[in-house]
Amino acid sequence: MQTSNSNIDSPPVSAAIGEMQKPLDAIMCKESGQETVRNGVSYRQRQLVEEKANIIQSNTSPRQFSSSIWRLPTEILSQIFLYCLPEDEECLSPIRRQAPLLLTGICRRWREVAVDLPSLWCTLQLTADNNWYRRARFYDSWLKRSAGRPLSLTLECLSDLSEPRSLLQEYSSQISSLRLEFFDYLGPFMMEDFHALKELTIQNYGFDRKGDINRSLSKLPVNLRRLNMPDQMFSRRRLNFFSDSAWAHLTHLEINIQGLDAFPRILHLCPKLSYVTVLGIFDPIQNPEPITHTNLQTLRMYGDALSHPDGDLGLFNVITLPNLRVVETRHIGKWPHEEFKEFLMRSKCPLESLRFGSAVWTTDQQREEYVTLLPSLELTVDPDSSFDISEFLEELY
């Protein structure tokens, strides 16, 4: 039996390997016991050699062992293999010490089962660097084993992306989730023809001087619904780079904004948006342009509590959301109570849940007014939401 050099932590695997080793150890002990009389028992030696050869041969066919793990049906073994996949990784790194590659090095049957199980090969983390040509064949082999199933991929971008895109283009009909991690910028990653793509995440770990990320986002696949950009800072000016149709199909968006003037532009770019998370610095509205958005149902706002201590955002004076059902806020600072109350009355929305998270400062009277206005409202307040840092600083100094 051929085993990998990796540590195998699974008790059933270790037990099975130990059981397979016992007959070999027994034969070796017999050989040792016969060492002193080897010349007189050549016939017995031949017998031992034959027994050892039979055991080695049986190791290549584990079905012959009585151990229950080797007699498991392929369907059950496949389910066990799926439980071996790391739970804390969105996309699998091709490491031989963990599944699925580990499973291909235990024995012939396990390799056959693992290679023929497409669900093991549907996620992968790829690295586009100067060694891409050495890895490309391995990546291609991995992805082929997915056998047409939907793929969830992460691409680390450290060099030119033309060759990685060429490889992934072959699987564009399968890639449903893609995460692009930009470390260096040598051109955009265009994905307009990735028609199966439904979720895209972009992480930025460098400085995009040439606007490669903007160009990557300028033409998105028509079936893309979720776009996550938690560390991308978008001002109103930057959002104006995109045509009105560039993000028209999005229904879920996570975005980091610079100033609340960017928010009405987001609603204009995404008429089908139903769920949005906005993070960043919420400088008050400077250009009040009223906008009504009929599809937005969930609004999550995570801001900077120190950026506007007076609580005057201006945002709720310009937006109308008649279908809004959930609002969650954190780190907003002083909550614009009157502004928000007028927004609710103007929108006539069926708000079901309102949550004031940490560092959102409201009073008991203000919260009671919301419940009076919307009797069925589920209002949640974090314990530290009433902490007013401006009052604390005044007392301190």
Side-chain angles (χ1 to χ4, degrees):
M1 179 184 70
Q2 181 181 359
T3 63
S4 69
N5 294 326
S6 305
N7 293 326
I8 302 172
D9 297 327
S10 174
V13 176
S14 301
I17 294 175
E19 184 172 341
M20 296 171 68
Q21 187 66 35
K22 288 178 182 179
L24 286 173
D25 293 341
I27 295 300
M28 296 306 296
C29 289
K30 291 180 181 180
E31 288 180 342
S32 178
Q34 296 292 332
E35 182 67 28
T36 57
V37 291
R38 184 176 299 275
N39 294 333
V41 289
S42 59
Y43 176 73
R44 178 55 181 158
Q45 184 182 28
R46 287 196 299 271
Q47 282 186 316
L48 293 176
V49 171
E50 291 176 358
E51 289 182 34
K52 185 174 181 179
N54 289 335
I55 291 174
I56 293 175
Q57 182 179 5
S58 68
N59 282 350
T60 64
S61 180
R63 296 183 183 87
Q64 298 182 16
F65 280 88
S66 59
S67 174
S68 59
I69 194 169
W70 299 120
R71 292 186 285 109
L72 286 175
T74 299
E75 293 78 8
I76 296 179
L77 195 59
S78 298
Q79 292 299 315
I80 294 175
F81 284 1
L82 293 176
Y83 279 105
C84 293
L85 293 175
E87 296 181 356
D88 57 345
E89 297 186 20
E90 295 182 2
C91 285
L92 298 177
S93 300
I95 301 175
R96 294 193 177 278
R97 290 177 296 176
Q98 70 179 22
L101 288 182
L102 174 62
L103 301 172
T104 66
I106 302 302
C107 66
R108 181 183 300 173
R109 187 196 175 206
W110 281 31
R111 175 178 176 80
E112 292 174 351
V113 173
V115 170
D116 291 337
L117 184 60
S119 298
L120 286 178
W121 311 96
C122 290
T123 67
L124 178 63
Q125 179 171 314
L126 306 89
T127 301
D129 58 11
N130 294 332
N131 294 318
W132 172 261
Y133 293 100
R134 297 175 57 185
R135 298 190 181 101
R137 185 175 179 181
F138 170 80
Y139 292 151
D140 188 39
S141 176
W142 179 299
L143 296 175
K144 277 184 169 61
R145 293 174 182 176
S146 66
R149 301 288 181 86
L151 294 171
S152 179
L153 306 180
T154 292
L155 179 62
E156 295 180 328
C157 309
L158 296 97
S159 64
D160 180 71
L161 298 177
S162 57
E163 290 299 328
R165 188 189 183 285
S166 178
L167 171 64
L168 296 185
Q169 180 65 41
E170 300 179 22
Y171 301 94
S172 61
S173 63
Q174 295 178 240
I175 301 175
S176 62
S177 175
L178 179 62
R179 182 186 185 93
L180 298 177
E181 298 182 350
F182 284 91
F183 293 87
D184 201 356
Y185 304 90
L186 295 174
F189 187 90
M190 305 307 295
M191 62 202 97
E192 183 181 12
D193 52 354
F194 283 45
H195 298 308
L197 189 62
K198 292 181 173 59
E199 181 170 6
L200 173 65
T201 299
I202 293 184
Q203 294 282 159
N204 178 25
Y205 299 102
F207 187 69
D208 185 13
R209 296 181 178 86
K210 299 180 180 179
D212 289 335
I213 292 180
N214 279 2
R215 286 186 286 165
S216 299
L217 295 169
S218 62
K219 294 183 179 180
L220 297 177
V222 295
N223 292 317
L224 184 70
R225 296 295 179 264
R226 295 175 178 264
L227 178 58
N228 308 309
M229 301 178 292
D231 62 358
Q232 287 293 297
M233 188 69 76
F234 285 86
S235 63
R236 173 63 181 258
R237 180 178 179 180
R238 184 178 179 183
L239 289 169
N240 286 337
F241 171 85
F242 304 103
S243 67
D244 290 350
S245 62
W247 298 1
H249 300 284
L250 295 179
T251 59
H252 291 66
L253 178 65
E254 180 179 2
I255 189 170
N256 197 314
I257 64 174
Q258 184 177 6
L260 287 173
D261 278 319
F263 191 75
R265 176 59 179 164
I266 291 172
L267 297 182
H268 185 77
L269 284 171
C270 309
K272 296 182 180 180
L273 199 64
S274 64
Y275 185 106
V276 63
T277 298
V278 288
L279 312 95
I281 300 175
F282 294 167
D283 293 332
I285 289 282
Q286 300 297 320
N287 300 302
E289 300 176 5
I291 184 171
T292 299
H293 194 288
T294 59
N295 289 315
L296 191 65
Q297 299 183 26
T298 299
L299 171 61
R300 301 169 68 197
M301 301 176 64
Y302 303 154
D304 182 353
L306 298 178
S307 62
H308 46 86
D310 58 358
D312 183 16
L313 297 180
L315 175 66
F316 295 109
N317 290 332
V318 300
I319 61 173
T320 301
L321 307 175
N323 210 20
L324 189 65
R325 286 170 166 77
V326 177
V327 174
E328 179 181 342
T329 65
R330 295 180 187 174
H331 305 289
I332 300 296
K334 186 177 180 180
W335 181 246
H337 170 65
E338 292 298 332
E339 179 183 326
F340 185 69
K341 190 170 66 170
E342 292 178 5
F343 156 78
L344 292 177
M345 292 186 291
R346 181 177 66 253
S347 296
K348 298 180 181 179
C349 56
L351 193 66
E352 301 169 355
S353 174
L354 174 59
R355 176 165 186 167
F356 295 121
S358 59
V360 179
W361 310 324
T362 61
T363 66
D364 292 339
Q365 179 180 347
Q366 289 172 348
R367 294 191 292 268
E368 290 175 2
E369 290 184 26
Y370 294 135
V371 175
T372 302
L373 184 62
L374 300 168
S376 61
L377 178 67
E378 179 182 346
L379 181 60
T380 306
V381 181
D382 281 8
D384 64 340
S385 64
S386 59
F387 175 71
D388 191 330
I389 192 170
S390 61
E391 295 180 358
F392 171 77
L393 292 176
E394 289 179 1
E395 294 176 0
L396 185 64
Y397 295 102

